[in-house]
Each structure stands twice: as structure tokens, then as C-alpha cells.
Amino acid sequence: MKYICSFFHPVSAKRNQILVNYNETCRIYYFINKGSLRLFTVNKSGLETSRYFAFEGMFITALPSFIDQQPAEEFLQAIEKSELLAITRKDFYEMVRTVPEFGHIYREILEIGFVNAQKRIYGFQGFDALEKVKWLIKFQPKFLLRVSNKMAASYLGMSPSTLSRVKSRL
């Protein structure tokens, strides 16, 4: 564990700080000790769509860019003041290659991310707004307590006013 930790360095992020910009190639993977980060996109009209959120004890990066070293098609942002551990892409893949336990952690990160994405995609098909919010409460109970209504609504694919109405019915 000491060996693995030696590859990470502490990083502090301010609230709303962008860690990866759109069109920037991502070279860092983050582990969150404290705080929260999100991945989001912005359409041509300036509307943000949140794609993923990570909280304490979770890893996050702009994964497609991190893997293929092409410009990111999303932003990575700290949504709270955050204390992170950062590892470079070079060190990350060296750890995956040489430390079997770290390779297992990486596989788990990918598997959990894939399963959660599938649950969200398939779970939301045919769901009305109330069912989406109930799904979120069931699978991510602290989410609505940590994330603004605007960000949560964009994640759920609804307007902030619709989310407020639905929350008032719960």
C-alpha cells in the first residue's frame, strides 16, 4: 500500500475549479479524499449536461481522453472544495501493469462504472420524472443532498423546476 501511495500526490481544488477543460487531453486520474467532482458537457446553446458525479472514496477522470489521449469532449470540475490524490497517466498504467492489486482496482472501477452507466441508461428509459428521482434516491441516496438542483436536473434529464416539483411530492 505504501508503494502504491507513493505514486499519488495531493491536490487541492477550489469549488467550481475546472480540472480538465473541453478539448484538453487528460493526463491525471483523481481519487477523492474529500469533496466532489463532476463530468459534464456543454451544448452549442450553452446548456450543461452532467454525466457523472464522484464523491469521497471514488476515482474519477475524463476516462475516454485519459485512455486514448485525445482531447476531452467534456469538463471535469470540482463542485465542492476538494482534497484529491492525483496520479499521472504514465504512473497509473505502470501500476496497472506491475501491481496486480492495482490492476484489480482498475478493473473494478471500470466494471462499476459500466454497470452504473447501464443501470442509469436502461433504468431511465420509459421513466417519468418521479420515477427518475426515486431511482436516484434508491441507488445514490446522498446525491440530492450534495448536488445543486441545476446539476441534478441535468443529470436526470429534466429541468430544475420539474425536479423541484417532483421533490416536493416526495
Side-chain angles (χ1 to χ4, degrees), residues 53-115:
F53 291 86
F55 304 97
E56 288 86 0
M58 297 172 73
F59 284 91
I60 188 170
T61 193
L63 194 58
S65 175
F66 185 83
I67 290 171
D68 66 18
Q69 289 297 277
Q70 296 299 310
E73 295 181 1
E74 58 197 349
F75 295 88
L76 178 60
Q77 176 189 41
I79 58 173
E80 299 173 338
K81 183 178 175 186
S82 299
E83 296 172 13
L84 313 167
L85 293 175
I87 186 169
T88 66
R89 182 180 188 277
K90 177 182 173 282
D91 287 344
F92 183 88
Y93 281 114
E94 178 66 17
M95 296 293 291
V96 168
R97 189 178 67 74
T98 62
V99 180
E101 295 84 357
F102 196 80
H104 293 306
I105 290 169
Y106 182 47
R107 189 179 77 235
E108 283 185 30
I109 292 167
L110 294 176
E111 289 173 353
I112 290 167
F114 177 77
V115 168

